[in-house]
Amino acid sequence: MGFDVLLDQAGSLGRFQILQIAFFFVTNVITYTHILLENFTAAIPGHRCWVPLLDNHTASGNASDILSQDALLRVSIPLDSNLRPEKCRRFTHPQWQLLHLNRTFPNVSESDTEPCVDGWVYDQSSFSSTIVTKWDLVCESQSQKSVVQTLFLSGSLLGSLIFDYLSDRYGRKGVYTWCLLQTAIMDTCATFAPTFLIFCILRFLAGFSVIIVLSNSSILASEWAVTNSQHIGVTLLLCAHSIGQILLGGLAFAIRDWHTLHLTASIPLFVLSLLSRRLVESARWLITTNQLVEATKALRRVAHINGKESAGEILTLEFVRSTMKEEMDKASTKPSMVEMFHAHKLRMRIFYISLLRLGTTVPFYGLILNLQELGSSTFMFQILFGAVTFISRCIILLITKYMDRRISQSLFSFLAGLCILVNTFLFKEMQTLRVILATLGIGAVSASTTTFAVQYAELIPTICRSTVAGINNVFSRTGAVLAPLLMTLVVYLPHLPWIMYGVFPILSGLIVFGLPETRNQPLPNTIQDVEKDTKDSRRVKDDDTFLKTTQF
C-alpha cells in the first residue's frame, strides 16, 4: 500500500510510535476511569430514616442513657420482610411495646409509619461521602443514579456523532486535544456542583468528549502504523481500558470521599491536554484531505524523531504525491451511503453487525456500571473485572486463530447470558458463587466484544469501512445508554434489568449465524467483493480442509 511505503521511509515502528502509544496508553487509562466514576461517587451506602430518639441527642439524652442503640432502633424503625430495619420508612411515634416482645412481631399498619420526612442517616464505613448522601438519592430518588449514568452516556452518543464529523473535517489532533481539555474542565467543575441538576449537566458535557478521547487515540495510533502492525497498538489501547478499571478500584479504595476522587481523576487530564499539543497530526488524514504539504512536513518530523535524518531528502512533496496517487484516486471513488444500502448483501451485513454491537454493549455496560448490585465488595469487583477483561482480551486473540468466528462469538455470548441470568436468581447470601458467575460473565462479554472487533474487520469492505464504523458506533453508544436506562426499571421489578442484560447476549449468539464465516477467507476491499457469488470461496475452503486432513 502507498502509505506503508511512506511510513517505511519515516520509520514504521520506531521511537515516535513507541512514545505515541505510551502517551495514548496513559491517557486512556486515566480517561476510562471517568466512565465508571459513578460506581463509587454514586455508591448507595446503608441508610435509614433520621429519628429523634437516635439522632437528636438533646431529645434522646435520657432514653439513650437507659436503653441501648439497638433497642431505640427497634422502637423507631419498622422491620422489612427480611426482618431488617426499613430503609425508607419510620414509625410516626416510638413503639415502646416492641421492647416487651421476644419472637413475636405484631403487624404494624401503614398508618403507624411514615416516609423519612426528616432525611436519612448514612453508614460511612465504606464511603465517607457520595453524591447519594449529598443530595439524598435514595428511596423514591434511588433511580437518579442511573439517570446520571444515562445522561453521561447520552452525551457520549451525541458527542461521537459531532466530534467524529469534526475529526474527519478538521483533523484528529485538534479535536483530541480539545476533548481532553473539555473532559478535564467539566468533571472538575462537577466536583463543585451546587445542585444535582448542574452536576447532571456537567457530567453530560463530560460524556460529550470522553469517548472521542478513547476513539481518536486508536485512530491516530492506527494511522501512524503500517497495515500489518495496526492491531498491536489497538490491542494495547484496549488493554489500557482494563488497567483503567483496576486503577479506579485502587483509587476508590484509598479515597473514600467522592469530591477528592473526582478531582484525582480529572486534574491529570489538564496536564495531558497540554502534552497532547506535541502530537503529530495524522499524515493519512492530511493526504486524504489533499493537504500534501502538511503531510510531507508531518512525515519528515516523524522521520526526525525516529532518527532517520536521511529520509528528509527522500520524503519530498513530489515523492508523496506520486506514491499516494493511486490511494487518493480510490478515496475519490468512495461509495455513497445510498450506493452501500443498494447492495443487498452488504446491507444485511451492516444490519446484523449493528445488532451484534448492540447486543454485546448492553450486557457489558450493565455489568461494569452496576458493581454494587453484584455484591458488597465494590472495590474488589472493580479490580477483578479489570483484570479479567485484560486477560480475556489477550486470550481471545489466540483463540480466534483456531476457532471459527461465528462459533466463538456464539459460545461467548451464550456463556455471558447464562452467567447473568443464573446470577440474577441466586440468593445474595451465596456470595462466592455470585462472584464466580459475575467474573465469568464479564470475561465472556469482553471476549465476545473482542471477537466482534476481529469479525467486523473481516466482514466490511475497506473502501466503506469508515462509513460503516460511524453506523456501528451509533449502535454501540445506544447500547451503552440503554444499559443504565434499563436499571431504572428496578423500582418496578428488581430482576427485570438483569434479565434483559442476560437476554441481549443470548440473542446476539443467535444473530451471528446470519453472517458468513470469515476465518481464512480473503478480506473484501470493494462492495463487489461482498456482492459476488461466494460459491467459489466456499469450494476453496473445502479443498483446503480436505488437504489438511490428508496430510501426515
Side-chain angles (χ1 to χ4, degrees):
M1 294 182 68
F3 191 78
D4 287 357
V5 174
L6 297 178
L7 268 185
D8 285 338
Q9 296 296 328
S12 58
L13 190 59
R15 183 167 174 256
F16 167 78
Q17 282 82 5
I18 294 172
L19 290 174
Q20 185 190 55
I21 289 293
F23 175 79
F24 287 147
F25 188 91
V26 173
T27 304
N28 281 14
V29 166
I30 297 173
T31 304
Y32 198 77
T33 62
H34 288 252
I35 299 176
L36 308 174
L37 276 174
E38 271 76 31
N39 280 337
F40 304 99
T41 62
I44 303 174
H47 55 276
R48 60 168 175 79
C49 291
W50 185 96
V51 290
L53 281 178
L54 283 167
D55 307 306
N56 188 345
H57 299 292
T58 58
S60 61
N62 294 331
S64 61
D65 292 339
I66 301 171
L67 299 173
S68 66
Q69 291 288 310
D70 288 340
L72 292 175
L73 183 65
R74 186 176 183 184
V75 301
S76 302
I77 305 292
L79 301 179
D80 60 16
S81 58
N82 296 320
L83 302 182
R84 295 174 181 173
E86 281 274 6
K87 295 181 177 181
C88 301
R89 300 193 70 81
R90 70 179 187 180
F91 289 124
T92 53
H93 303 287
Q95 305 294 307
W96 299 108
Q97 71 275 12
L98 295 177
L99 294 176
H100 306 293
L101 298 173
N102 291 325
R103 296 187 179 181
T104 57
F105 297 92
N107 293 327
V108 178
S109 65
E110 191 72 19
S111 60
D112 293 331
T113 64
E114 63 181 1
C116 303
V117 293
D118 294 319
W120 289 262
V121 174
Y122 296 98
D123 177 17
Q124 295 185 332
S125 60
S126 296
F127 301 96
S128 61
S129 70
T130 67
I131 65 168
V132 172
T133 62
K134 182 179 177 66
W135 289 299
D136 289 331
L137 305 180
V138 292
C139 298
E140 293 85 358
S141 302
Q142 184 170 340
S143 62
Q144 297 302 308
K145 172 187 175 179
S146 296
V147 171
V148 177
Q149 293 172 323
T150 302
L151 286 172
F152 177 84
L153 293 168
S154 297
S156 72
L157 171 59
L158 185 58
S160 65
L161 294 174
I162 295 174
F163 283 123
D164 277 345
Y165 169 77
L166 294 176
S167 294
D168 287 339
R169 187 173 180 83
Y170 300 108
R172 322 295 195 206
K173 175 188 169 183
V175 171
Y176 179 81
T177 299
W178 169 255
C179 287
L180 264 177
L181 185 61
Q182 178 174 326
T183 304
I185 293 173
M186 294 304 145
D187 267 343
T188 300
C189 292
T191 307
F192 306 101
T195 65
F196 180 64
L197 177 60
I198 293 177
F199 178 83
C200 289
I201 293 172
L202 291 170
R203 283 293 284 164
F204 172 81
L205 294 174
F208 210 79
S209 54
V210 72
I211 295 299
I212 300 302
V213 175
L214 299 174
S215 61
N216 267 23
S217 62
S218 297
I219 292 172
L220 277 165
S222 298
E223 292 182 347
W224 275 115
V226 293
T227 304
N228 60 4
S229 65
Q230 287 178 351
H231 67 283
I232 299 174
V234 174
T235 303
L236 284 172
L237 295 181
L238 281 175
C239 291
H241 299 174
S242 301
I243 302 300
Q245 294 185 57
I246 297 173
L247 175 66
L248 179 61
L251 285 175
F253 183 79
I255 305 170
R256 305 299 178 95
D257 175 72
W258 80 272
H259 299 90
T260 309
L261 182 61
H262 232 276
L263 284 174
T264 303
S266 301
I267 290 177
L269 295 182
F270 285 104
V271 179
L272 292 170
S273 66
L274 292 174
L275 294 176
S276 68
R277 298 180 63 187
R278 302 291 298 172
L279 293 172
V280 182
E281 181 59 271
S282 168
R284 286 182 192 264
W285 175 81
L286 291 169
I287 291 170
T288 303
T289 55
N290 205 29
Q291 301 181 54
L292 296 183
V293 175
E294 295 300 321
T296 304
K297 290 180 181 178
L299 286 165
R300 286 179 174 178
R301 184 180 171 190
V302 170
H304 176 73
I305 296 172
N306 284 335
K308 292 197 169 188
E309 302 295 341
S310 60
E313 300 176 1
I314 302 173
L315 292 169
T316 62
L317 180 61
E318 292 73 19
F319 180 76
V320 172
R321 182 182 285 112
S322 61
T323 304
M324 297 302 299
K325 184 178 185 303
E326 183 179 350
E327 290 196 13
M328 291 173 68
D329 291 339
K330 286 182 179 179
S332 64
T333 59
K334 181 180 177 181
S336 66
M337 189 77 74
V338 175
E339 290 174 325
M340 288 170 51
F341 280 92
H342 272 133
H344 173 70
K345 289 184 179 179
L346 179 60
R347 183 173 70 245
M348 294 308 298
R349 285 192 185 188
I350 295 172
F351 175 71
Y352 285 127
I353 283 172
S354 300
L355 292 180
L356 271 177
R357 187 59 169 169
L358 182 70
T360 55
T361 304
V362 170
F364 181 77
Y365 278 93
L367 286 170
I368 67 172
L369 293 178
N370 296 287
L371 300 184
Q372 201 171 16
E373 302 292 332
L374 299 173
S376 57
S377 183
T378 311
F379 309 103
M380 180 196 70
F381 271 116
Q382 186 67 76
I383 295 173
L384 189 61
F385 277 18
V388 169
T389 54
F390 178 85
I391 295 170
S392 64
R393 280 169 175 151
C394 295
I395 291 178
I396 195 62
L397 295 177
L398 299 176
I399 293 177
T400 51
K401 289 184 178 180
Y402 306 102
M403 186 181 293
D404 287 348
R405 307 292 187 251
R406 295 187 302 178
I407 297 298
S408 57
Q409 175 82 20
S410 181
L411 285 176
F412 287 125
S413 297
F414 274 112
L415 178 60
L418 288 174
C419 287
I420 295 172
L421 289 175
V422 172
N423 210 0
T424 300
F425 298 101
L426 286 178
F427 294 110
K428 290 190 175 181
E429 290 75 16
M430 304 173 70
Q431 188 62 31
T432 302
L433 185 56
R434 284 172 61 85
V435 170
I436 293 172
L437 286 174
T439 304
L440 190 59
I442 192 63
V445 171
S446 181
S448 176
T449 304
T450 308
T451 305
F452 168 83
V454 175
Q455 192 176 26
Y456 165 80
E458 296 172 342
L459 282 168
I460 302 302
T462 306
I463 197 168
C464 56
R465 193 169 292 169
S466 61
T467 304
V468 179
I471 300 171
N472 182 48
N473 195 35
V474 170
F475 276 84
S476 174
R477 295 298 98 214
T478 302
V481 172
L482 191 58
L485 193 61
L486 288 173
M487 190 51 66
T488 60
L489 301 175
V490 74
V491 295
Y492 305 106
L493 187 63
H495 292 324
L496 183 57
W498 294 102
I499 292 173
M500 297 297 292
Y501 294 154
V503 168
F504 269 96
I506 291 175
L507 292 177
S508 296
L510 297 174
I511 291 171
V512 71
F513 289 104
L515 293 168
E517 179 55 51
T518 57
R519 180 170 170 260
N520 295 331
Q521 295 296 319
L523 297 179
N525 290 314
T526 64
I527 294 178
Q528 289 71 28
D529 292 340
V530 175
E531 294 301 307
K532 70 181 181 181
D533 189 11
T534 57
K535 289 182 180 179
D536 291 339
S537 63
R538 288 197 194 101
R539 185 170 64 249
V540 170
K541 184 179 180 181
D542 291 339
D543 292 343
D544 288 344
T545 304
F546 173 75
L547 289 172
K548 289 177 182 178
T549 55
T550 55
Q551 288 177 350
F552 294 98

